[in-house]
Each structure stands twice: as C-alpha cells, then as structure tokens.
Amino acid sequence: MDYRKTIDEMEKDSRNIGIIDVRSERDYEADTIPGARNCFWMDFPTEEMDAREMIGGFGYAGEPIYLVCYTGDKSDAIAERLQGWGIEAYSLDGGYAAYLRLAMKRLLAKEFPEDKDANSAEADPEADQSSDETASGQGNIDQNADGQTAQAGTQSKKKRKPLSFAQNAERSIQKKFRKEIWRQFTRAIREYDLIQDGDKIAVCISGGKDSMLMAKLFQELHKHGKHNFEVEYLCMNPGYNDINFETVQNNAKLLNIPIKVFTSDIYDVVAGDAGYDGSGSPCYLCARMRRGHLYAEAKKLGCNKIALGHHFDDVIETSLMGMLYGAQIQTMVPKLHSTNFPGMELIRPLYYIRERDIVHWRDYNHLHFINCACRLTESCTALSCTGTAQGSKRGEIKRLIHSLEEKDPVIAMNIFRSMENVTLPMVLGYKDDEGKHHSFLERYPNLR
C-alpha cells in the first residue's frame, strides 16, 4: 500500500476519513485542515495498542487516517508504521503546505477570476442591467391610452455590487468586531499617545494574523481617524520558504494591503550562528536581528516609528515569563525609544486586543495566515527548537494563563494591571533609569 496521498486524492476520498495533524500544538492551533485532530509527531505512539487506542479516542477507529506535518517528512514514517500494523494510513504529500497552497489558490480564484465569461455581467455591464430589468418585471409592461408605458409590477431595487474580500474584512472590523478590536485599537493609541500629527509609521508585517490585522486597522484609521499621519506597510522576507512567502503576498493581495517587501539573510545567518545542533534556540537572536533590519529599512523610507503587532496576551505572557524564567519584573511596554536608531520609536497599537478576538476575526473572514515561518523549525526536533516536547516556554505560559482563566476570568487582566500597580517601597529591590540597583534597605528607616 502506497503510504503517500495528495491533497486532491484526500479530498476525493468519499469515506469518513480521519485527519491527524502531527505538527506542534502551536502551529495546529494557528491553523489546520478542517476537522483535524492534533498529536505532535514526537508524542505519536510507537506501540500498536497505544496507537490504536489514541486513534479510537479521536473517533477514528476503523477509518482511513491521513497524517499531516509541515512538508510530509515526519508523517511518512508514522504512516508507514501504522500500515505495518494493518491500519489504513496515509501521509499527506506536501503536508500542511499543500493544503495551505490549495486554500489560498481557491480564495484568489474566487476573488480574482482569471477568465471572465464574455457574456457575464462583469464583461458587459449593459447586458447585466437588461437582465436585471427583465428579472425585476420591467419586461412585463402595459401601454396606456396616452401611449405611455407603465410597469406592471413594482420595480425591484438594483442589485448592489458585492463587496470585495478586503471590504468584507474591513466591514467586520467596524461592525462585528467593533467593540473587541476597533475600540481597543483606538483606545491604546489614545491612552498611550502612540500617534502624533506628522508621524510616518512603518507598519511591520510578518505575515501572521496579528500583523495583518494591524495593517487593516491602520488602513481604517488612516481613512477615518483624526490624526494627520502617513503609513508604509513594510514586509521583510528574512528567508521564508516559498509557500510561506507566497501566503504573505497572497493575503496582502486579498486584503488590499500595499506591502513594500525587502529581503534579508537573517535565517541563513542565524542558522549558521546557532548551528542548530540542539544546543539552544535561535529565536532571540533572530528577533533582535529582525527588529534592527526593520528599523533600518523604515528609516530609509523616512519613517519615525515602526508598529509591531504584539497584543494583550503577548504582554501578560512576557510579564509572567520574566518572573518565572528571568527572575525579574518587567513587561512589554506600549512604546519605546530605539537605542540604536536615534529619533525612531517602536509602538504596539494592539496592546489592548485579546488574541482570541484576533483568531475570531481571522476565522470569521476565512483567512489563512502563516504562524512561525522559520525554515529551521519545520524539520527540527522539539528539544532543539522549543526546549520541551510540548512547546516553547511562551507556550507553557500561554497554557498556564488559559487554565487559570478557566477558573477565574479576571486572572489575565490582573496580571496586566499588576504591571501598572507596582508599589516600589514594598519590593525588595529595583533598577533606576541608569540601571543602578536599589535595595529596600535604603528606604527601610522611613518604611512604615
């Protein structure tokens, strides 16, 4: 039995099939094939009885199984193993990338049809008008005594031109998600004074859900806002795989975001520096280099600010990570002066927006975004990429906060507010603006 099947073959399989996504939990939660269940490839059972029990627990007992990883490599070995136990299992050829490419192709074909019927309304507006008139009853007329014609039926209103994909996404921001997204966006700008008249802002687009939404929010603000400012939509290609870069470009086209793309060799540099031998994660170095390149490119465009898509959940996760893993109390502030690029500022206008609302907006508009587009994480082991088989430290903190919120919904907001309710006399020590450490003993004589 061939253990590889294409996405087309999977779609044509009319049986009740089961789909198991063997990518990381983080990538699975970001986007997956509809109906897929998740089991990270390193955690996939290696014993027949355990595998059958897990598959049955997913509700797939007796069903043909399709396994999905990043490109097909990891799922090949699992499919071959399952077939050896008599389980009908296939590895999706091309992995999740194949599904993503097909999904984007269909969205683009629907929004930008390559071939138009010569007799269609788009090709001949007059023909469309006459057909509408006939359908509305204008073809059924009576002649009165004066030779004038009167419509027999009530003329229906002309059909409105359907909204484009981008217009629907914009409409959802202003209507369905006005409270959760638009108002939180403008609130952060207002409360933290993120934008001033005369600013030229580089909206930095990585291709993920957060930065793409931020770009749409800036477009709306530029159209309807009170500030007099300019915007550049800046996208860096640090060495994305073809499918990831295609997805970024296609989403920009669908959402009508005029991105300016520049390239860098960050991924190659980081891979060479880190060696990717399992000794550690290159993510910190990559993030620092990416920000430096964005500052430099934004400055070339005459910008005085860069906007990054960090949201509320990023802020509270960073705060908690600093305490648990960094032995420090600090957070991700809403704006920051650049150290290496004088006159430049970093702003975070999604500061009050919850990630779950961004996910809801994404899914409501049937969008597919890249998550972590790093080439390195597609083929690495969990230990070398993330430190644990269950995901990154940030992933651990995300799950911790989620579990606490299930017990008490105010937990997340309390973490956030704790960063603005620091009582210095009651902490053991702190660093001043110059980095000098101060102990509570210095103030103890006056402490009551």
Side-chain angles (χ1 to χ4, degrees):
M1 185 189 298
D2 187 3
Y3 58 81
R4 275 206 170 194
K5 293 281 189 180
T6 65
I7 185 75
D8 185 55
E9 289 174 314
M10 185 183 80
E11 286 195 330
K12 289 180 179 177
D13 194 332
S14 59
R15 298 171 294 174
N16 292 324
I17 64 171
I19 305 173
I20 301 178
D21 190 329
V22 299
R23 298 176 302 151
S24 70
E25 182 182 9
R26 177 190 177 193
D27 291 334
Y28 167 77
E29 290 178 349
D31 193 27
T32 190
I33 297 177
R37 305 295 292 271
N38 178 236
C39 179
F40 187 46
W41 68 271
M42 285 191 72
D43 297 330
F44 209 95
T46 56
E47 299 294 332
E48 180 180 352
M49 292 302 296
D50 293 337
R52 289 185 181 277
E53 182 179 354
M54 186 204 72
I55 291 171
F58 282 164
Y60 297 155
E63 311 295 341
I65 304 299
Y66 286 81
L67 298 151
V68 184
C69 71
Y70 293 100
T71 59
D73 294 337
K74 302 301 181 187
S75 53
D76 282 354
I78 299 174
E80 195 170 13
R81 185 164 73 242
L82 292 178
Q83 286 188 13
W85 295 330
I87 300 172
E88 186 179 358
Y90 307 101
S91 171
L92 184 64
D93 192 24
Y96 170 75
Y99 162 74
L100 181 59
R101 183 174 274 117
L102 179 63
M104 294 303 301
K105 180 180 178 181
R106 286 173 174 168
L107 278 175
L108 288 166
K110 185 177 180 181
E111 185 69 6
F112 307 104
E114 295 178 357
D115 300 315
K116 297 178 181 178
D117 187 344
N119 297 318
S120 71
E122 289 178 289
D124 188 354
E126 292 183 2
D128 178 58
Q129 183 177 0
S130 63
S131 63
D132 279 350
E133 289 172 353
T134 301
S136 64
Q138 283 188 323
N140 183 15
I141 55 177
D142 294 327
Q143 180 133 8
N144 61 21
D146 297 326
Q148 296 175 331
T149 59
Q151 185 174 341
T154 302
Q155 180 179 350
S156 64
K157 293 181 180 180
K158 287 186 178 180
K159 293 181 179 179
R160 289 184 179 181
K161 184 178 180 181
L163 297 177
S164 68
F165 193 98
Q167 288 171 327
N168 276 316
E170 292 160 4
R171 184 180 178 84
S172 69
I173 290 170
Q174 293 291 354
K175 299 292 185 179
K176 184 173 180 61
F177 299 99
R178 186 174 186 84
K179 179 180 177 181
E180 299 89 347
I181 292 179
W182 176 251
R183 288 181 181 173
Q184 301 308 320
F185 173 69
T186 55
R187 175 190 170 196
I189 291 173
R190 182 177 64 255
E191 291 189 2
Y192 294 116
D193 196 24
L194 300 184
I195 300 176
Q196 289 82 39
D197 288 340
D199 279 343
K200 187 171 184 180
I201 304 168
V203 176
C204 300
I205 298 171
S206 66
K209 66 185 189 310
D210 310 324
S211 62
M212 283 292 191
L213 171 60
M214 180 175 65
K216 292 307 298 179
L217 288 167
F218 264 99
Q219 284 184 321
E220 290 296 288
L221 186 67
H222 201 249
K223 284 190 294 185
H224 308 299
K226 298 178 181 179
H227 290 288
N228 177 26
F229 66 97
E230 297 180 62
V231 184
E232 297 283 0
Y233 298 94
L234 192 58
C235 177
M236 176 175 63
N237 179 359
Y240 291 154
N241 282 339
D242 290 343
I243 179 60
N244 287 324
F245 191 48
E246 285 174 23
T247 303
V248 174
Q249 293 177 305
N250 288 337
N251 275 321
K253 183 177 180 181
L254 279 169
L255 291 170
N256 193 27
I257 302 171
I259 59 174
K260 289 186 177 179
V261 179
F262 72 100
T263 60
S264 71
D265 59 354
I266 288 177
Y267 283 177
D268 291 333
V269 171
V270 171
D273 186 68
Y276 233 72
D277 56 0
S279 59
S281 170
C283 299
Y284 176 75
L285 174 61
C286 181
R288 291 293 299 272
M289 292 181 66
R290 284 163 66 94
R291 188 171 300 180
H293 278 72
L294 289 169
Y295 269 127
E297 195 67 23
K299 197 163 188 177
K300 288 180 186 177
L301 294 172
C303 298
N304 64 312
K305 292 179 179 177
I306 65 170
L308 300 184
H310 297 125
H311 48 66
F312 179 94
D313 295 78
D314 289 325
V315 175
I316 62 174
E317 288 160 15
T318 299
S319 303
L320 209 52
M321 282 179 68
M323 295 175 64
L324 299 183
Y325 297 115
Q328 59 186 356
I329 296 178
Q330 64 177 34
T331 193
M332 186 182 281
V333 292
K335 62 182 180 180
L336 195 65
H337 290 289
S338 172
T339 302
N340 300 319
F341 294 86
M344 297 287 288
E345 267 187 281
L346 179 156
I347 61 174
R348 296 183 169 106
L350 305 190
Y351 209 72
Y352 284 134
I353 301 177
R354 294 300 306 261
E355 184 176 25
R356 64 187 177 220
D357 294 321
I358 299 175
V359 170
H360 191 187
W361 174 81
R362 177 200 68 190
D363 295 344
Y364 179 82
N365 287 287
H366 308 290
L367 288 158
H368 301 275
F369 296 116
I370 64 174
N371 186 26
C372 175
C374 179
R375 298 196 313 265
L376 305 175
T377 60
E378 293 177 355
S379 57
C380 65
T381 65
L383 291 177
S384 63
C385 284
T386 62
T388 71
Q390 295 302 319
S392 66
K393 291 291 187 287
R394 184 173 289 276
E396 292 175 7
I397 295 296
K398 186 184 290 290
R399 287 189 290 273
L400 173 61
I401 294 174
H402 178 70
S403 65
L404 292 172
E405 273 196 289
E406 287 184 329
K407 298 175 183 177
D408 191 342
V410 304
I411 291 291
M413 183 55 70
N414 283 348
I415 296 172
F416 182 89
R417 287 174 176 162
S418 70
M419 292 294 108
E420 59 184 10
N421 290 325
V422 178
T423 306
L424 282 180
M426 302 307 292
V427 298
L428 296 178
Y430 70 94
K431 291 181 179 178
D432 61 22
D433 293 344
E434 297 178 354
K436 183 180 178 181
H437 185 271
H438 297 272
S439 170
F440 90 103
L441 292 174
E442 296 176 17
R443 300 184 307 278
Y444 183 70
N446 299 317
L447 189 61
R448 297 290 186 271

